[in-house]
Structure formats: structure tokens, C-alpha cells
């Protein structure tokens, strides 16, 4: 007698991997723009906001961080799911911290207030949401979606396979 399929079996696998790749690409490209043309990037990203006097240095340093973090996220594509989960947690915390900081200080920095009607903030919020969903699915995968997730030939995975059989 066959068991009915689990309702989560039709969810696309590797959501966290693809989400971190998308965010990494956005951070790398955006970071490059903030590094090499901060005035143009701030105007384009924040809907006409302009740099305040002396803030070019801060935006350039922010771009440097974004490029480095984006490269890390892109590299995580080739790492294991446990490492990717840890990087995903850091990414989610960073994005939530960014949203919190923008919510509290956007007006004093000459940027538009945080609102989900603004395309930039909506994209950042969707990145956080996709990362959170990817983290949950990443933790559900081994027992629900795949049976071979830990079976790379290690003794521990061989013992688990023999106990399940």
C-alpha cells in the first residue's frame, strides 16, 4: 500500500542556493556601482535622492562591503547545504538590520522613508522573505525531500542508511 505524497514534495529544491545566488549578484553589481559611481548609484537606487556633502566616502565603503559580501554569497553556491544555511542566517540578519537602520535613519540621510511601495525597499523586503523561506526549506530537506542528502560515502551516512533499511 503506497503512502500519499507529502504536501511539500513539490516545492522546488535548492531555493536557498538560488536565493543566495540572486542576492549575491545584486550585491556584487550594486556594490560595484556604489564603489565606482556613488552619486549616480544613490540617485538611481533611491529615486532621486542625492548624496549629502562628505557622504561619498561612506557610500564607497558600503559598496566595498557589498561587493565582498556578494562574492561570498556567489561562492556559497558550491558549498554544502549546512554552510549555505549558516551564510543564509547571516544574510537574513544583515538584511533585517539594513531594513531596521533605514527605517530609523533614512530621513536624516536624505533618502526616502522606508515604505514597501518604494521598489528598492520592496526588493530588499522580498530578498529577506525569500531567504527566510529558503532557510526553512533547507532545514526540512533531508527528511522530507531527499533520502541521499548526507550520503557522500562517509561512515556516519552509511550507518544511517543501514539503520533506515
Amino acid at each position: 500500500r503506497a503512502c500519499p505524497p507529502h504536501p511539500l514534495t513539490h516545492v522546488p529544491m535548492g531555493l536557498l542556493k538560488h536565493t543566495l545566488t540572486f542576492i549575491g549578484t545584486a550585491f556584487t553589481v550594486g556594490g560595484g556601482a556604489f564603489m565606482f559611481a556613488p552619486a549616480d548609484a544613490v540617485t538611481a537606487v533611491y529615486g532621486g535622492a542625492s548624496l549629502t556633502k562628505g557622504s561619498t566616502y561612506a557610500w564607497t565603503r558600503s559598496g566595498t562591503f557589498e561587493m565582498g559580501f556578494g562574492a561570498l554569497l556567489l561562492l556559497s553556491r558550491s558549498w554544502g547545504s549546512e554552510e549555505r544555511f549558516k551564510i543564509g542566517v547571516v544574510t537574513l540578519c544583515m538584511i533585517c538590520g539594513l531594513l531596521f537602520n533605514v527605517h530609523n535613519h533614512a530621513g536624516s540621510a536624505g533618502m526616502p522613508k522606508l515604505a514597501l511601495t518604494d521598489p528598492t525597499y520592496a526588493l530588499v523586503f522580498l530578498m529577506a522573505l525569500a531567504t527566510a523561506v529558503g532557510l526553512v526549506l533547507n532545514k526540512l530537506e533531508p527528511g522530507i525531500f531527499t533520502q541521499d542528502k548526507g550520503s557522500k560515502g562517509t561512515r556516519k551516512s552509511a550507518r544511517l542508511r543501514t539503520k533506515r533499511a
Side-chain angles (χ1 to χ4, degrees), residues 92-112:
L92 181 60
C93 290
M94 190 198 65
I95 291 173
C96 289
L98 172 70
L99 287 171
F100 178 78
N101 192 28
V102 166
H103 174 69
N104 289 330
H105 303 290
S108 64
M111 296 169 18

Side-chain angles (χ1 to χ4, degrees), residues 10-28:
H10 299 293
V11 177
M13 301 314 321
L15 179 64
L16 185 60
K17 179 189 286 189
H18 299 306
T19 300
L20 294 180
T21 301
F22 172 75
I23 294 172
T25 303
F27 273 38
T28 304

